Amino acid sequence: FGSIVGIHIVDSSNLSLDGWSGSRKVNHIVKSVGSNSIVVWDEFDKLTHPKIGSNGLNVSTELQAEFLKLIEEPEYVVSEKDGNIIKNLGTVFVGAFESIREEKTRCVNKSIGFNSQKTERHITNEEITKDDLFKYGVIGELLGRVATMCNTQPMTKEHCFDIVRHSKSRLTVIA
């Protein structure tokens, strides 16, 4: 991979807000990042959920097909006329996929009869699978090329306080 120039975090939720405009938006971002970089596409779940454009095309599918080029090819051609080619581009997709988590969380009755208590069964993120992502709207071709899928736990208020308490910076806990 050579020496990494930088890690760039992109809010990908706004890539398709204006409607599908070909590969122009992705090209612009990749061109500004340059070769030997890692791009973290944050809010990836927002752009994978199906969105039908005014021309009847699924904008989400078209955009994901553009991401296939980023991770499949060793060189990404940004502009044919300029000869601008990006090499060694690492790609990381990050998303909460909250609706999947909500769908998999349900209330279960512990007992039957009066005074029965309902308890909510919380899933662990390991239960979110590639099949779930496919049903959500991530295209199979893209899922098949994702080398590693890792799930994280949401941070609690106590986690945030621990970070501040153990930080070497000047941050302090106010609450």
Side-chain angles (χ1 to χ4, degrees):
F1 210 87
S3 61
I4 305 253
V5 172
I7 298 173
H8 306 274
I9 299 173
V10 177
D11 178 5
S12 58
S13 65
N14 63 10
L15 285 178
S16 61
L17 285 179
D18 303 326
W20 175 246
S21 58
S23 58
R24 188 173 55 226
K25 291 179 185 179
V26 174
N27 280 347
H28 176 73
I29 292 168
V30 171
K31 186 176 182 179
S32 67
V33 165
S35 293
N36 300 319
S37 296
I38 296 173
V39 181
V40 178
W41 301 94
D42 194 18
E43 301 290 339
F44 187 68
D45 54 322
K46 307 296 187 290
L47 67 86
T48 57
H49 205 273
K51 293 177 193 138
I52 305 301
S54 58
N55 58 0
L57 287 176
N58 183 346
V59 175
S60 166
T61 302
E62 297 293 320
L63 192 53
Q64 290 178 67
E66 193 62 32
F67 284 113
L68 272 174
K69 295 176 191 174
L70 284 177
I71 59 179
E72 278 185 334
E73 302 296 327
E75 297 178 345
Y76 182 78
V77 178
V78 175
S79 173
E80 299 247 350
K81 65 180 180 183
D82 298 338
N84 200 339
I85 297 173
I86 305 297
K87 298 178 182 180
N88 299 324
L89 187 69
T91 305
V92 177
F93 301 117
V94 178
F97 296 95
E98 193 61 34
S99 63
I100 296 173
R101 205 172 282 120
E102 288 172 5
E103 184 180 304
K104 288 189 161 210
T105 302
R106 60 188 176 94
C107 290
V108 180
N109 282 326
K110 275 186 146 179
S111 60
I112 300 174
F114 294 110
N115 294 329
S116 65
Q117 295 179 0
K118 287 186 178 181
T119 59
E120 194 170 296
R121 179 184 73 90
H122 294 283
I123 65 161
T124 60
N125 285 339
E126 286 75 29
E127 290 184 61
I128 296 176
T129 65
K130 285 187 177 185
D131 287 336
D132 295 325
L133 296 176
F134 180 75
K135 290 174 191 170
Y136 184 85
V138 180
I139 60 174
E141 295 88 346
L142 188 58
L143 280 173
R145 285 162 183 83
V146 171
T148 305
M149 184 172 139
C150 114
N151 294 278
T152 59
Q153 296 292 331
M155 288 183 67
T156 65
K157 183 177 175 181
E158 193 56 39
H159 288 131
C160 294
F161 283 141
D162 283 344
I163 290 169
V164 173
R165 285 184 197 118
H166 298 98
S167 173
K168 293 181 182 180
S169 74
R170 295 181 188 169
L171 295 172
T172 58
V173 178
I174 298 174

